[in-house]
Amino acid sequence: MAHVLVVEDDPFVRSALIRQLTDAAHTVRSVGTALEALREVAQIGFDLVILDLGLPDLDGREALKMLRGITDVPVIIATARDDEAEIVRLLNDGADDYLVKPFSAEHLSARMTAVLRRVRASGGRPGAPQDDELRVGGLCVDPLRRRARLDGIELDLTRREFDLLAFLAQRPGVVVPRKELLTRVWRQSYGDDQTIDVHLSWLRRKLGETAAKPRYLHTLRGVGVKLEAPR
Ligand code: CA
């Protein structure tokens, strides 16, 4: 069983794919544009991405490059073009395999199994099942199961607190600007700083720390927020 992201703008192809994958006991999320796909993989650890090459917003090759810029998750390209030169380029750009449409459920399943086996055999990559948990010091965040533990103790987080923590845990030590938190975690293009501050203070309390004596969550005034293991 794998957690799969389907990136496909054609609603018919998309629902067929979702049906095939869920029938095979995989869990699936689906989006119709490359930008949505980038947002998804930045926030959730997938085992595999199935990427359609003909997306409305970005060229397939561009989309793959951008995906590769943020994640090592295995990518199977689904292409209507049986163009060998293009397929070779994509494999060189970091695709793990490809399927030429239309393909059968059996074919898809065989390719997926092979790709997942290869990735797992090579010791996994970030995002692969054995490596799902994000660890920052004594903090463990499991984006797949939406659970977080601090020093082995389960944290009771609201949805937003979890999203915020998981987002920061994916980039430990990196100062994330507030504006980025707002767009990536809250999915708003504008808003006031108070929204973030309030959630940060709740999250802080659950982590057993205060703004005056931070351990994991550090606010840099006027700059942003970072999550870092205590020294
Ligand atoms: Ca398409």
Side-chain angles (χ1 to χ4, degrees):
M1 193 197 106
H3 192 41
V4 183
L5 176 65
V6 169
V7 190
E8 169 64 68
D9 61 318
D10 182 323
F12 295 105
V13 178
R14 182 149 107 182
S15 53
L17 260 174
I18 294 172
R19 202 170 45 241
Q20 288 173 11
L21 289 164
T22 45
D23 282 352
H26 300 300
T27 54
V28 185
R29 280 177 78 92
S30 67
V31 292
T33 66
L35 291 180
E36 285 173 296
L38 292 168
R39 199 183 302 149
E40 285 291 313
V41 298
Q43 289 181 348
I44 299 171
F46 290 98
D47 299 320
L48 187 88
V49 174
I50 298 174
L51 178 66
D52 170 37
L53 276 194
L55 292 169
D57 56 340
L58 276 182
D59 168 65
R61 207 164 161 213
E62 213 50 50
L64 176 66
K65 277 190 182 160
M66 289 178 76
L67 264 180
R68 274 290 165 258
I70 49 174
T71 174
D72 275 339
V73 68
V75 174
I76 295 181
I77 298 288
T79 172
R81 322 165 202 169
D82 188 4
D83 172 353
E84 203 168 332
E86 172 72 357
I87 288 166
V88 168
R89 266 197 298 278
L90 290 162
L91 292 172
N92 283 331
D93 283 345
D96 291 85
D97 208 342
Y98 70 96
L99 284 160
V100 176
K101 293 181 200 171
F103 46 81
S104 66
E106 290 73 27
H107 197 169
L108 170 65
S109 162
R111 290 293 174 104
M112 277 182 61
T113 307
V115 165
L116 290 170
R117 191 191 302 130
R118 204 154 66 217
V119 169
R120 281 165 190 167
S122 67
R125 295 173 176 176
Q130 71 271 41
D131 205 21
D132 270 343
E133 286 201 338
L134 306 163
R135 289 187 184 81
V136 182
L139 194 62
C140 280
V141 181
D142 182 344
L144 211 58
R145 289 159 202 88
R146 297 189 62 85
R147 278 164 35 184
R149 298 189 311 277
L150 178 60
D151 300 326
I153 295 163
E154 189 96 20
L155 295 169
D156 181 19
L157 303 176
T158 64
R159 188 172 65 91
R160 195 71 88 188
E161 287 162 2
F162 181 86
D163 289 344
L164 179 59
L165 183 65
F167 188 78
L168 292 169
Q170 276 161 344
R171 347 172 135 59
V174 175
V175 181
V176 182
R178 285 166 174 275
K179 177 131 182 68
E180 192 178 340
L181 285 179
L182 214 51
T183 50
R184 305 286 297 273
V185 179
W186 273 265
R187 305 197 177 195
Q188 294 172 2
S189 52
Y190 61 90
D192 68 88
D193 277 0
Q194 241 184 342
T195 313
I196 296 177
D197 285 331
V198 168
H199 283 88
L200 276 174
S201 76
W202 288 337
L203 184 54
R204 233 179 221 126
R205 198 174 307 164
K206 292 186 180 173
L207 294 174
E209 59 184 65
T210 62
K213 275 200 167 165
R215 288 181 68 230
Y216 285 91
L217 267 182
H218 302 264
T219 309
L220 285 86
R221 197 176 286 278
V223 188
V225 184
K226 73 173 169 180
L227 183 78
E228 199 169 49
R231 284 159 208 279

XYZ file of all heavy atoms in Angstrom, residues 11-69:
449
model
N -10.407 14.992 -16.182
C -11.222 14.395 -15.119
C -11.507 12.913 -15.327
O -11.618 12.150 -14.358
C -12.518 15.211 -15.135
C -12.496 15.994 -16.398
C -11.079 16.115 -16.839
N -11.592 12.476 -16.585
C -11.904 11.065 -16.838
C -10.703 10.176 -16.523
O -10.819 9.161 -15.852
C -12.356 10.865 -18.288
C -13.651 11.561 -18.577
C -13.676 12.729 -19.315
C -14.851 11.058 -18.080
C -14.866 13.390 -19.557
C -16.046 11.709 -18.316
C -16.049 12.886 -19.053
N -9.551 10.619 -17.005
C -8.326 9.859 -16.735
C -8.076 9.846 -15.229
O -7.726 8.825 -14.648
C -7.125 10.494 -17.467
C -5.849 9.732 -17.148
C -7.364 10.517 -18.965
N -8.312 11.012 -14.626
C -8.058 11.138 -13.204
C -8.930 10.191 -12.387
O -8.447 9.472 -11.534
C -8.318 12.588 -12.785
C -8.046 12.843 -11.342
C -7.574 14.258 -11.168
N -8.598 15.084 -10.551
C -8.452 16.387 -10.321
N -7.353 17.004 -10.674
N -9.405 17.065 -9.768
N -10.226 10.168 -12.676
C -11.076 9.314 -11.846
C -10.804 7.837 -12.109
O -10.879 7.016 -11.203
C -12.558 9.672 -11.985
O -12.922 9.673 -13.327
N -10.412 7.513 -13.360
C -10.056 6.117 -13.639
C -8.820 5.712 -12.832
O -8.764 4.630 -12.244
C -9.796 5.936 -15.132
N -7.842 6.619 -12.810
C -6.613 6.344 -12.061
C -6.897 6.176 -10.565
O -6.389 5.264 -9.921
C -5.643 7.521 -12.227
C -4.532 7.357 -13.243
C -3.753 8.655 -13.384
C -3.602 6.230 -12.824
N -7.704 7.077 -10.045
C -8.030 7.025 -8.617
C -8.712 5.697 -8.290
O -8.405 5.049 -7.299
C -8.922 8.221 -8.216
C -8.137 9.524 -8.366
C -9.445 8.068 -6.790
C -8.967 10.773 -8.188
N -9.618 5.294 -9.185
C -10.333 4.038 -8.958
C -9.364 2.850 -8.979
O -9.388 2.002 -8.095
C -11.432 3.869 -10.011
C -12.541 2.913 -9.580
C -13.717 2.955 -10.536
N -13.308 2.921 -11.930
C -13.562 3.884 -12.816
N -14.221 4.961 -12.456
N -13.154 3.782 -14.065
N -8.493 2.838 -9.981
C -7.520 1.739 -10.074
C -6.643 1.667 -8.832
O -6.378 0.593 -8.301
C -6.602 1.942 -11.281
C -7.284 1.714 -12.613
C -6.389 2.098 -13.786
O -5.199 2.341 -13.626
N -6.971 2.143 -14.978
N -6.200 2.830 -8.389
C -5.269 2.856 -7.255
C -5.964 2.483 -5.950
O -5.420 1.728 -5.147
C -4.622 4.241 -7.136
C -3.612 4.574 -8.243
C -3.327 6.069 -8.285
C -2.318 3.797 -8.019
N -7.170 3.008 -5.762
C -7.857 2.675 -4.511
C -8.289 1.202 -4.512
O -8.263 0.554 -3.484
C -9.066 3.605 -4.231
O -9.807 3.738 -5.430
C -8.628 4.974 -3.784
N -8.625 0.682 -5.685
C -8.935 -0.757 -5.774
C -7.729 -1.597 -5.358
O -7.873 -2.690 -4.834
C -9.330 -1.150 -7.205
C -10.759 -0.749 -7.530
O -11.468 -0.307 -6.601
O -11.158 -0.845 -8.708
N -6.541 -1.064 -5.631
C -5.318 -1.798 -5.274
C -4.866 -1.454 -3.858
O -3.715 -1.688 -3.498
C -4.220 -1.488 -6.285
N -5.787 -0.844 -3.076
C -5.555 -0.548 -1.654
C -4.558 0.578 -1.392
O -4.026 0.701 -0.298
C -5.139 -1.806 -0.891
N -4.312 1.413 -2.410
C -3.459 2.577 -2.174
C -4.325 3.732 -1.699
O -5.532 3.754 -1.960
C -2.743 2.986 -3.459
C -1.873 1.913 -4.022
N -0.809 1.380 -3.323
C -1.916 1.249 -5.199
C -0.236 0.442 -4.051
N -0.900 0.336 -5.201
N -3.699 4.694 -1.006
C -4.440 5.904 -0.678
C -4.015 6.976 -1.674
O -2.850 7.046 -2.059
C -4.167 6.386 0.754
O -2.762 6.520 0.936
C -4.705 5.396 1.767
N -4.971 7.787 -2.097
C -4.720 8.689 -3.217
C -5.162 10.109 -2.901
O -6.224 10.322 -2.302
C -5.507 8.215 -4.469
C -5.166 9.075 -5.667
C -5.248 6.759 -4.759
N -4.355 11.049 -3.309
C -4.795 12.436 -3.396
C -4.600 12.830 -4.848
O -3.716 12.296 -5.517
C -3.953 13.344 -2.495
C -4.373 13.288 -1.048
C -3.461 14.141 -0.218
N -3.752 15.553 -0.324
C -4.565 16.192 0.504
N -5.166 15.552 1.474
N -4.759 17.488 0.385
N -5.432 13.752 -5.311
C -5.274 14.120 -6.712
C -5.403 15.618 -6.887
O -6.148 16.281 -6.165
C -6.322 13.398 -7.556
O -7.603 13.875 -7.232
N -4.645 16.130 -7.852
C -4.724 17.544 -8.205
C -4.668 17.661 -9.722
O -4.268 16.705 -10.405
C -3.558 18.358 -7.579
C -3.679 18.443 -6.067
C -2.202 17.781 -7.969
N -5.056 18.829 -10.246
C -5.140 18.991 -11.689
C -4.112 19.930 -12.291
O -4.075 20.130 -13.496
N -3.269 20.522 -11.436
C -2.247 21.429 -11.969
C -0.893 21.151 -11.317
O -0.825 20.568 -10.233
C -2.596 22.916 -11.705
O -2.565 23.144 -10.283
C -3.944 23.300 -12.250
N 0.146 21.603 -11.979
C 1.506 21.403 -11.466
C 1.709 22.205 -10.169
O 2.350 21.728 -9.245
C 2.526 21.830 -12.510
N 1.162 23.398 -10.132
C 1.364 24.218 -8.939
C 0.702 23.605 -7.717
O 1.260 23.610 -6.628
C 0.863 25.654 -9.172
C 1.731 26.445 -10.170
C 1.195 27.853 -10.362
C 3.195 26.494 -9.717
N -0.481 23.036 -7.907
C -1.127 22.340 -6.792
C -0.286 21.142 -6.360
O -0.174 20.842 -5.174
C -2.518 21.848 -7.213
C -3.564 22.934 -7.311
C -4.858 22.384 -7.905
O -4.842 21.966 -9.090
O -5.853 22.342 -7.196
N 0.299 20.480 -7.342
C 1.134 19.315 -7.028
C 2.331 19.727 -6.182
O 2.680 19.063 -5.207
C 1.603 18.648 -8.315
N 2.939 20.847 -6.545
C 4.098 21.334 -5.793
C 3.695 21.654 -4.365
O 4.414 21.350 -3.420
C 4.690 22.578 -6.469
C 5.342 22.314 -7.824
C 5.639 23.620 -8.541
C 6.623 21.506 -7.651
N 2.530 22.257 -4.227
C 2.044 22.606 -2.891
C 1.812 21.333 -2.066
O 2.192 21.256 -0.910
C 0.741 23.397 -3.023
C 0.387 24.178 -1.785
C -0.936 24.880 -1.955
N -0.962 25.779 -3.099
C -2.054 26.041 -3.813
N -3.204 25.463 -3.520
N -2.008 26.871 -4.822
N 1.216 20.333 -2.710
C 0.937 19.080 -2.000
C 2.217 18.397 -1.524
O 2.315 18.009 -0.378
C 0.173 18.112 -2.915
C -1.279 18.458 -3.108
C -2.116 18.262 -1.854
O -1.995 17.211 -1.218
O -2.885 19.180 -1.509
N 3.181 18.246 -2.426
C 4.389 17.494 -2.036
C 5.211 18.255 -1.005
O 5.966 17.663 -0.249
C 5.296 17.085 -3.231
C 4.568 16.163 -4.176
C 5.838 18.293 -3.940
N 5.032 19.588 -0.978
C 5.766 20.351 0.040
C 5.173 20.104 1.417
O 5.833 20.303 2.431
C 5.734 21.843 -0.296
N 3.931 19.673 1.450
C 3.262 19.552 2.744
C 3.051 18.128 3.202
O 2.941 17.874 4.389
C 1.905 20.262 2.682
C 2.088 21.766 2.630
C 0.782 22.508 2.595
O -0.264 21.911 2.398
N 0.843 23.801 2.786
N 2.973 17.204 2.268
C 2.641 15.835 2.642
C 3.703 14.890 2.082
O 4.180 15.083 0.965
C 1.247 15.445 2.084
C 0.188 16.375 2.665
C 0.922 13.993 2.397
C -1.155 16.234 2.027
N 4.075 13.899 2.855
C 5.023 12.912 2.370
C 4.302 11.844 1.553
O 3.505 11.084 2.083
N 4.545 11.817 0.248
C 3.945 10.778 -0.590
C 4.974 9.684 -0.850
O 6.178 9.921 -0.772
C 3.480 11.365 -1.930
C 2.290 12.261 -1.793
C 2.456 13.638 -1.730
C 1.007 11.736 -1.707
C 1.360 14.474 -1.578
C -0.094 12.567 -1.558
C 0.089 13.935 -1.492
N 4.471 8.500 -1.189
C 5.374 7.418 -1.570
C 5.673 7.481 -3.060
O 6.692 6.984 -3.520
C 4.735 6.054 -1.261
C 4.450 5.908 0.214
O 5.300 6.336 1.010
O 3.383 5.390 0.568
N 4.730 8.083 -3.787
C 4.858 8.067 -5.238
C 3.993 9.170 -5.852
O 2.916 9.455 -5.354
C 4.356 6.702 -5.753
C 4.561 6.425 -7.220
C 5.932 5.786 -7.427
C 3.495 5.483 -7.751
N 4.503 9.753 -6.953
C 3.716 10.734 -7.686
C 3.527 10.224 -9.108
O 4.482 9.758 -9.734
C 4.422 12.114 -7.715
C 3.669 13.095 -8.603
C 4.564 12.682 -6.308
N 2.289 10.274 -9.592
C 2.033 9.970 -11.005
C 1.742 11.301 -11.682
O 0.787 11.993 -11.329
C 0.849 8.994 -11.161
C 1.200 7.667 -10.464
C 0.548 8.754 -12.639
C 0.069 6.668 -10.427
N 2.627 11.669 -12.587
C 2.591 13.017 -13.156
C 2.235 12.995 -14.632
O 2.985 12.466 -15.457
C 3.974 13.664 -12.949
C 4.208 15.064 -13.498
C 3.350 16.089 -12.762
C 5.684 15.439 -13.391
N 1.093 13.597 -14.951
C 0.690 13.772 -16.347
C 1.584 14.843 -16.970
O 1.909 15.831 -16.322
C -0.785 14.212 -16.369
C -1.235 14.662 -17.748
O -0.803 14.054 -18.741
O -2.031 15.626 -17.812
N 1.981 14.634 -18.209
C 2.886 15.616 -18.823
C 2.156 16.823 -19.394
O 2.701 17.904 -19.458
C 3.682 14.965 -19.946
C 4.926 14.212 -19.525
C 5.766 13.930 -20.753
C 5.733 15.008 -18.512
N 0.913 16.631 -19.803
C 0.178 17.742 -20.404
C -0.712 18.419 -19.386
O -1.903 18.156 -19.322
N -0.118 19.283 -18.572
C -0.901 19.995 -17.557
C -1.173 21.413 -18.038
O -0.411 21.953 -18.833
C -0.132 20.019 -16.232
C 0.018 18.655 -15.551
C 0.998 18.739 -14.405
C -1.330 18.149 -15.064
N -2.259 22.018 -17.564
C -2.625 23.327 -18.103
C -1.671 24.464 -17.707
O -1.553 25.436 -18.432
C -4.026 23.575 -17.525
C -4.129 22.684 -16.340
C -3.251 21.496 -16.632
N -0.999 24.337 -16.567
C -0.231 25.501 -16.111
C 1.267 25.444 -16.414
O 1.873 26.462 -16.712
C -0.463 25.767 -14.612
C -0.134 24.565 -13.737
O -0.096 23.437 -14.262
O 0.078 24.761 -12.531
N 1.852 24.259 -16.336
C 3.295 24.182 -16.557
C 3.591 23.044 -17.507
O 2.925 22.018 -17.506
C 4.027 23.885 -15.242
C 4.369 25.019 -14.283
C 5.139 24.471 -13.098
C 5.217 26.070 -14.979
N 4.609 23.217 -18.310
C 5.107 22.157 -19.157
C 5.570 20.999 -18.270
O 6.104 21.225 -17.185
C 6.267 22.739 -19.972
C 7.041 21.651 -20.666
O 6.452 21.011 -21.540
O 8.212 21.437 -20.313
N 5.343 19.778 -18.701
C 5.644 18.606 -17.886
C 7.082 18.559 -17.399
O 7.364 18.196 -16.257
N 7.980 18.942 -18.275
C 9.393 18.885 -17.928
C 9.716 19.914 -16.842
O 10.474 19.657 -15.911
C 10.187 19.202 -19.192
C 11.527 18.574 -19.129
C 12.203 18.526 -20.457
N 13.612 18.319 -20.142
C 14.588 18.813 -20.869
N 14.326 19.533 -21.928
N 15.839 18.579 -20.513
N 9.092 21.073 -17.003
C 9.260 22.152 -16.020
C 8.698 21.699 -14.673
O 9.309 21.895 -13.623
C 8.482 23.376 -16.525
C 9.069 24.708 -16.169
C 10.537 24.805 -16.517
O 10.934 24.477 -17.661
O 11.292 25.189 -15.615
N 7.528 21.079 -14.726
C 6.869 20.614 -13.498
C 7.750 19.587 -12.787
O 7.920 19.641 -11.567
C 5.510 20.001 -13.847
N 8.328 18.676 -13.556
C 9.183 17.648 -12.971
C 10.407 18.274 -12.313
O 10.787 17.917 -11.199
C 9.616 16.655 -14.051
C 10.596 15.575 -13.591
C 9.932 14.642 -12.580
C 11.125 14.780 -14.772
N 11.001 19.242 -12.991
C 12.186 19.900 -12.433
C 11.864 20.602 -11.127
O 12.641 20.554 -10.173
C 12.751 20.914 -13.427
C 13.636 20.276 -14.461
C 14.358 21.342 -15.268
C 15.223 20.669 -16.339
N 15.555 21.608 -17.414
N 10.721 21.258 -11.092
C 10.332 21.973 -9.875
C 10.028 20.984 -8.745
O 10.377 21.216 -7.601
C 9.151 22.898 -10.152
C 9.567 24.089 -11.001
S 8.215 25.186 -11.400
C 8.017 26.042 -9.837
N 9.382 19.880 -9.103
C 9.128 18.825 -8.112
C 10.441 18.319 -7.535
O 10.601 18.194 -6.317
C 8.424 17.637 -8.774
C 6.916 17.522 -8.718
C 6.492 16.260 -9.436
C 6.415 17.505 -7.289
N 11.377 18.066 -8.416
C 12.678 17.551 -8.005
C 13.441 18.561 -7.141
O 14.303 18.181 -6.365
C 13.515 17.175 -9.232
C 13.236 15.789 -9.711
C 13.767 14.745 -8.733
N 13.218 13.426 -8.983
C 12.235 12.875 -8.275
N 11.673 13.526 -7.291
N 11.801 11.671 -8.518
N 13.082 19.837 -7.320
C 13.711 20.869 -6.505
C 13.314 20.788 -5.041
O 14.042 21.253 -4.169
